[in-house]
Amino acid sequence: MGPPGAGKGTQAERIAERFGIPAISTGAIFRANVKGQTELGKQVEAIMATGGYVPDELTNALVRDRLAEADCAPGFLLDGYPRTVGQVHTLDGLLAESGRPLECALELIVDEDAMVARLLARAADQGRADDTEEVIRERMSIYRAATAPLTAIYADQGKLRQVDGMGDIDEITARIVAALADLAD
Ligand code: ADP
């Protein structure tokens, strides 16, 4: 977990590789669908362009299907999901069905102003449709209102681990690896 721009995608790829499990990014899956103009892509394109959240029904169905794929059998890392209380409950249900509860929720602690600056720089570089200043501010405010409170749920369950997400990418990876060391096997 962590606000837009926190580096979740970058770190998720690295950590997943280290554990030999897939990194599943709902945002990346939605973007691929928009690019390919699939039915799902057409449904979510306008929502994503304004920085809003895709409705839980669509997001939950997508995650349910993805977690049923064979590569998730040894475990998986979710990036950008769950983002709402409804998604937390759905994920709990899915994992209970398969008899493997969530091991850990990892939060990257970052400075929000630095994130806005970082995303604006990425906009110039990658041209993501949701990286304009107005949309970035909207994504931040939705994160603060709808998603940041979820960390309290995972803290109550004793599953939340927080890592300083500011600094050098390699250093942050090392911090995360250290924070997850007991889950390695
Ligand atoms: P970021 O965290 O930088 O905003 P993501 O790639 O995680 O980027 O998400 C991009 C967009 O995809 C979100 O703004 C939202 O519209 C949609 N999205 C991704 N994951 C979810 C989710 N779990 N629930 C609802 N919408 C989502």
Side-chain angles (χ1 to χ4, degrees), residues 4-184:
K8 298 185 298 291
T10 304
Q11 297 298 339
E13 290 292 339
R14 291 170 161 226
I15 300 305
E17 194 182 341
R18 186 140 189 147
F19 280 77
I21 56 176
I24 300 167
S25 159
T26 45
I29 296 173
F30 286 136
R31 272 190 295 283
N33 276 275
V34 170
K35 198 168 174 201
Q37 283 293 295
T38 65
E39 266 321 299
L40 176 65
K42 288 178 195 162
Q43 279 176 287
V44 303
E45 186 167 16
I47 301 168
M48 288 178 73
T50 62
Y53 281 173
V54 172
D56 279 358
E57 307 84 76
L58 294 177
T59 309
N60 287 331
L62 179 141
V63 170
R64 168 185 288 274
D65 289 350
R66 183 65 187 84
L67 294 186
E69 286 178 35
D71 64 335
C72 291
F76 49 83
L77 189 162
L78 288 162
D79 158 22
Y81 180 95
R83 259 172 150 108
T84 65
V85 176
Q87 293 176 15
V88 169
H89 293 318
T90 296
L91 180 62
D92 279 347
L94 287 174
L95 297 181
E97 272 171 35
S98 62
R100 43 178 190 179
L102 193 73
E103 283 186 288
C104 163
L106 188 106
E107 182 184 17
L108 290 175
I109 306 294
V110 294
D111 176 68
E112 272 195 26
D113 289 337
M115 294 308 107
V116 174
R118 185 187 283 177
L119 290 172
L120 285 172
R122 181 173 78 183
D125 198 49
Q126 294 181 4
R128 239 176 78 167
D130 58 355
D131 274 349
T132 64
E133 178 150 14
E134 194 190 348
V135 176
I136 290 168
R137 300 253 175 230
E138 176 69 5
R139 282 157 59 204
M140 284 291 174
S141 103
I142 294 177
Y143 181 83
R144 212 178 300 119
T147 302
L150 304 187
T151 57
I153 301 178
Y154 289 120
D156 283 348
Q157 294 179 6
K159 291 184 176 164
L160 183 66
R161 301 188 191 189
Q162 295 174 309
V163 168
D164 175 6
M166 299 301 292
D168 179 76
I169 293 181
D170 287 338
E171 244 170 65
I172 298 165
T173 304
R175 284 181 208 140
I176 298 173
V177 167
L180 302 181
D182 61 307
L183 305 179

